[in-house]
Amino acid sequence: MDTTVEGYLTRIGLGSAPQPTVDGLRVLHRAHVGRIPYDNLSIMLDRADAVDPTAAAARAAAGTRVGYCFQQNGALSWLLERLGFAISRRHGHVWARPEDELGAALNHLVLVVSGLPTDGNPGGHWWADAGLGEGFAEPLPLVRGDHDVDGWSFGIGAGFGAQAAGRPTGPAAWTYRHLPGGVLRGMVVTSRDHGDEAIAASHMSLSAGEASPFRRMVVAQRIDGPHQRTVRGMVHQVMTPTSKDQRDLTSYDDWRGALVDDLLVPVDDVTDDEWSALWARTQASHRAWEEAGRP
């Protein structure tokens, strides 16, 4: 077995490679989102972690930070391809405000796994995604309707809201309704340009652009079965379909501990000076948020 594949599987708690079946896909997906956190720590530290799938997979195998959406799904696609799954990619436009729903910006890489038909999904196309931060523990069938995973409801369809008419659905294009109470609202998936150059340009803007939302505060998330675990700034949240436990991390030790112990963010490369500067920025951001009424 390839050493990177072996290291990757070990990182996500699997002693052997699952077969390229629906069940194998579900096992791999749950293992990745449960053990490898989505995070923007390297972006906040002005680190230039590569976005290409091979480099992202190498970081997963080495036990270091993988990163955010493009990097997470790049790594997962790399692993799935080497384990025999049929993978294709799509352009994703994530939106949080209704006025942004019809935008065309590439801000998410979408993975489609094909050739795995079931009674409920005769087309055999599945949406695998390790890059949402808060999202689905198992891949969703690309079948129009509501899909339950661990008590959470996720919607796939031709459209949601006032602009839904005429939208396609299927393995080439669809719309997505996010889980209730999430930070984002939905996504529009198409076959717009999502090649390597487009991803590299979007990654540069999101990771280094002064106006990027990924540079405002530390965010780390992982999906632990029905538990959506998040540290956002100084706020630690554990959300389930029926509950939301949220608390402020008022001390440096609690904040760092939540990132490392609960969110499982690797931090061996972060210096004491970097931690101090990041904690000061986090406190300042939190104070400004509170003064604005915690909107």
Side-chain angles (χ1 to χ4, degrees):
M1 183 186 296
D2 180 285
T3 56
T4 301
V5 171
E6 186 175 10
Y8 198 141
L9 293 174
T10 299
R11 169 84 179 271
I12 61 178
L14 299 180
S16 60
Q19 294 298 307
T21 64
V22 172
D23 287 343
L25 178 62
R26 287 173 175 145
V27 167
L28 284 163
H29 198 284
R30 278 191 179 272
H32 180 117
V33 300
R35 299 290 188 93
I36 300 181
Y38 167 109
D39 80 273
N40 70 338
L41 188 58
S42 288
I43 292 175
M44 294 294 291
L45 294 172
D46 291 322
R47 304 279 177 85
D49 288 346
V51 73
D52 65 279
T54 300
R59 293 197 298 275
T64 56
R65 293 185 302 279
V66 173
Y68 72 132
C69 57
F70 291 129
Q71 297 158 317
Q72 291 281 341
N73 280 341
L76 181 59
S77 69
W78 184 96
L79 179 64
L80 291 173
E81 286 177 333
R82 276 148 188 81
L83 296 182
F85 292 89
I87 305 294
S88 56
R89 298 166 179 81
R90 303 288 184 274
H91 177 293
H93 174 71
V94 172
W95 58 276
R97 302 181 303 173
E99 58 267 33
D100 296 330
E101 181 180 3
L102 297 183
L106 171 64
N107 57 17
H108 195 74
L109 174 64
V110 176
L111 305 182
V112 176
V113 184
S114 299
L116 301 175
T118 64
D119 290 343
N121 182 12
H125 303 290
W126 301 82
W127 178 11
D129 206 309
L132 284 172
E134 58 180 24
F136 30 91
E138 291 187 358
L140 299 183
L142 283 178
V143 176
R144 186 173 179 176
D146 294 332
H147 301 284
D148 182 280
V149 180
D150 294 331
W152 290 107
S153 176
F154 307 92
I156 289 179
F160 299 96
Q163 305 297 328
R167 288 237 184 97
T169 186
W174 68 90
T175 54
Y176 166 68
R177 188 202 68 239
H178 194 46
L179 59 83
V183 173
L184 64 98
R185 294 279 299 281
M187 189 188 311
V188 178
V189 180
T190 65
S191 294
R192 292 187 178 102
D193 185 11
H194 55 282
D196 292 345
E197 290 186 4
I199 289 173
S202 184
H203 171 63
M204 179 61 67
S205 175
L206 293 174
S207 63
E210 290 301 318
S212 170
F214 292 95
R215 297 181 60 85
R216 294 174 187 165
M217 68 182 71
V218 174
V219 177
Q221 298 173 299
R222 69 183 181 94
I223 306 166
D224 181 15
H227 299 87
Q228 304 281 342
R229 300 185 176 276
T230 301
V231 168
R232 187 179 301 278
M234 284 175 58
V235 179
H236 180 253
Q237 176 177 285
V238 180
M239 188 166 61
T240 74
T242 59
S243 67
K244 181 187 288 189
D245 179 19
Q246 189 176 90
R247 66 187 182 95
D248 288 357
L249 301 165
T250 56
S251 75
Y252 168 80
D253 288 341
D254 282 349
W255 173 71
R256 188 180 185 281
L259 287 168
V260 174
D261 299 330
D262 188 43
L263 275 298
L264 308 182
V265 179
V267 297
D268 287 349
D269 62 323
V270 183
T271 68
D272 290 342
D273 287 345
E274 286 175 324
W275 275 121
S276 296
L278 196 56
W279 173 237
R281 289 171 61 190
T282 300
Q283 288 177 301
S285 176
H286 188 81
R287 283 194 298 269
W289 181 56
E290 286 191 318
E291 290 168 1
R294 299 180 71 130

